[in-house]
Amino acid sequence: MIVIMLYSEIYLCKYGELALKGLNKSKFEGMLIREIKKRVAHYGEFSVTSSQSTIYIEPEGSISDPEAAFDALKKIFGISAVCRAAKTEKDIDKIKQTIREYIPPLLTGKKSFRASAKRADKRFPLNSPELSALAGEVILEAMGGDIRVSLDAPEATVTVEIRETHAYVHTDADKGAGGMPLGSAGGAMLLLSGGIDSPVAGYMMAKRGARIEAVHFESFPYTSEAAKNKALELARLLCVYCGDIRVTVISVTEIQERLRDTVDEEYFTLLLRRCMMRLAARTARDRGCDALITGESLGQVASQTMAAMNVTDPAAGMLVFRPCVGLDKEEIIRTARKINTFDTSVLPYEDCCTVFTPKHPKTKPTLDKVLLQENRADLSALEDDAYSRLETFNINEY
Ligand code: ATP
Ligand code: MG
């Protein structure tokens, strides 16, 4: 016996802001489609096509975990909404049958619904009001009195769409990750510590289209292997949103010891931060990134005052994004929980910034005094040496 499938289940994604981008739209769309293909490839074979601000993601054959594929789509930047839909032929009987089979399980537990219809193909024999009335009738009949129609405040909306080649039936879409496609804004180098803020900062800039790389500074043996692994684990967790991340690990042990031995204690942290900015910027330039990202938040600690940022910025010599700068810790934590980095961030490992920290750090430094101290430490050979010994890790979990 040959079983002919009445419908197949596919995913529909709506563009977010991308839909508004005039000339660059097709370039950004290409980036988005490439990213989608890469992410869903873990679950099987799919064809990914776009038409009129909608992306169609269709399984070719069976897929391993439809729910996980759906979740993965909801974490791709550049998509504002995602839904699962039944695709069928543009034939009234087939559409009715598809609604009858596909929709009732999705409405279980709901008390009210409304049906809506969109008709891109105006040659289809029913117009939109006729089609939505038909869909409503089929659902009411199939659900046998368990649900009623509410036009004003429905708990669910069932939509029938008649598009160029096929008809699609679905319930409400889930919210997508929003933002712009990864890479559409260029590359940026995230200074990734093991804390709460920096992963959130990376996520926020990736959401605006930055391709993320990361640099982590370690200070072995003052910081442990576990502290480094924690930063790598955070990068791994970020991959869910940011795609593959290359992490460069640079040891600043000798630099910290030199600073400890040569500069006034109160300048130690500022000088270390300037050194981190220089090394991060060097890594960024070598990797084709045009900006740095830090997790700094105004006033959070002594090294995050305006005056302190004014003396660390010039050491970067390139654009520095601090997307958390205006956020309260609570707001940062909320995002850290949402992106699942919080529990790892709070594991109690030391960070190089907490090694040899001064009791009374300068909160209102001036650049000329900082430069005098920096000259004393004469770091450039040590920085070259640290840079020549960098390690890299390609984190490509997703
Ligand atoms: P976090 O901001 O990481 O949650 P924190 O608030 O303790 O922790 P600070 O030590 O004040 O961070 O550092 C501010 C920023 O400097 C971090 O957000 C991060 O971008 C960068 N940074 C700090 N330590 C490191 C490190 N070991 N490697 C890379 N970047 C670091
Ligand atoms: Mg911080």
Side-chain angles (χ1 to χ4, degrees):
M1 189 178 74
I2 300 170
V3 180
I4 298 169
M5 281 296 286
L6 189 62
Y7 66 84
S8 57
E9 190 175 54
I10 76 162
Y11 305 99
L12 298 177
C13 294
K14 287 269 175 224
Y15 295 169
E17 242 176 88
L18 171 60
L20 310 171
K21 304 285 173 225
L23 289 177
N24 280 327
K25 185 172 163 182
S26 63
K27 191 172 126 203
F28 290 171
E29 195 176 81
M31 288 176 163
L32 180 57
I33 289 179
R34 262 200 308 283
E35 194 60 35
I36 292 174
K37 283 184 174 163
K38 218 159 90 185
R39 306 275 187 105
V40 293
H42 297 275
Y43 307 100
E45 281 189 35
F46 293 83
S47 99
V48 183
T49 53
S50 81
S51 165
Q52 294 172 337
S53 297
T54 301
I55 298 179
Y56 298 76
I57 299 142
E58 307 198 37
E60 291 183 331
S62 68
I63 54 174
S64 60
D65 190 343
E67 200 59 47
F70 186 47
D71 277 346
L73 288 170
K74 285 191 267 183
K75 293 183 172 127
I76 298 177
F77 294 129
I79 294 174
S80 64
V82 194
C83 73
R84 295 166 83 156
K87 170 185 173 184
T88 188
E89 286 169 39
K90 292 199 290 188
D91 168 280
I92 294 176
D93 283 335
K94 290 197 170 133
I95 293 171
K96 280 169 70 174
Q97 190 59 20
T98 297
I99 297 172
R100 203 172 285 130
E101 288 182 18
Y102 185 70
I103 295 297
L106 302 176
L107 296 181
T108 312
K110 307 252 192 250
K111 299 209 165 32
S112 62
F113 79 102
R114 72 184 273 258
S116 96
K118 290 181 196 157
R119 194 179 59 144
D121 175 3
K122 302 293 178 209
R123 291 164 311 176
F124 191 75
L126 299 183
N127 64 23
S128 300
E130 288 165 345
L131 196 54
S132 51
L134 178 74
E137 271 169 38
V138 172
I139 294 165
L140 284 173
E141 190 189 292
M143 306 242 347
D146 288 344
I147 198 163
R148 64 183 176 80
V149 172
S150 161
L151 297 181
D152 300 331
E155 280 182 40
T157 298
V158 175
T159 305
V160 183
E161 299 192 41
I162 309 295
R163 297 204 171 220
E164 296 98 282
T165 59
H166 288 85
Y168 301 87
V169 178
H170 57 85
T171 55
D172 300 283
D174 282 9
K175 209 165 171 307
M180 292 291 293
L182 275 182
S184 60
M189 184 65 65
L190 169 67
L191 283 83
L192 179 66
S193 66
I196 298 167
D197 309 328
S198 46
V200 169
Y203 161 83
M204 289 172 79
M205 295 315 297
K207 183 171 180 179
R208 295 309 305 159
R211 174 182 60 81
I212 300 292
E213 292 209 15
V215 59
H216 175 72
F217 297 100
E218 65 168 354
S219 188
F220 192 77
Y222 304 107
T223 62
S224 62
E225 192 70 14
K228 174 166 95 183
N229 287 335
K230 178 182 169 185
L232 295 175
E233 172 62 11
L234 287 170
R236 198 184 68 75
L237 293 169
L238 277 178
C239 285
V240 182
Y241 292 94
C242 304
D244 304 346
I245 299 181
R246 183 184 169 107
V247 183
T248 300
V249 177
I250 301 178
S251 169
V252 289
T253 308
E254 286 80 9
I255 292 167
Q256 290 193 277
E257 288 173 341
R258 171 76 62 83
L259 288 171
R260 176 196 61 191
D261 296 340
T262 56
V263 306
D264 293 348
E265 192 194 328
E266 57 187 1
Y267 285 94
F268 176 89
T269 306
L270 275 172
L271 292 174
L272 176 63
R273 297 200 59 77
R274 278 176 57 84
C275 169
M276 285 169 37
M277 287 297 206
R278 276 192 297 273
L279 288 168
R282 195 158 163 180
T283 316
R285 278 190 291 270
D286 281 354
R287 297 288 312 154
C289 296
D290 293 322
L292 303 183
I293 305 170
T294 80
E296 289 163 296
S297 163
L298 188 63
Q300 192 184 78
V301 290
S303 60
Q304 294 173 26
T305 60
M306 275 193 223
M309 292 187 205
N310 257 323
V311 303
T312 49
D313 254 18
M318 65 163 62
L319 178 62
V320 182
F321 288 123
R322 295 178 171 91
C324 298
V325 79
L327 298 180
D328 290 349
K329 195 76 189 188
E330 242 174 75
E331 294 169 306
I332 299 173
I333 288 174
R334 208 176 305 140
T335 305
R337 287 193 195 280
K338 184 179 96 175
I339 64 172
N340 198 30
T341 52
F342 182 79
D343 291 343
T344 301
S345 288
V346 294
L347 293 174
Y349 299 120
E350 59 300 312
D351 181 64
C352 71
C353 281
T354 57
V355 175
F356 313 140
T357 40
K359 280 188 207 66
H360 302 290
K362 267 261 177 259
T363 51
K364 289 196 178 147
T366 58
L367 189 57
D368 48 347
K369 292 217 175 93
V370 168
L371 291 176
L372 275 178
Q373 295 277 332
E374 198 165 80
N375 280 339
R376 239 202 250 171
D378 191 18
L379 296 175
S380 75
L382 284 183
E383 285 179 11
D384 287 348
D385 183 52
Y387 194 71
S388 73
R389 286 182 291 111
L390 59 78
E391 277 182 285
T392 54
F393 298 83
N394 287 313
I395 315 283
N396 41 17
E397 282 293 306
Y398 294 90

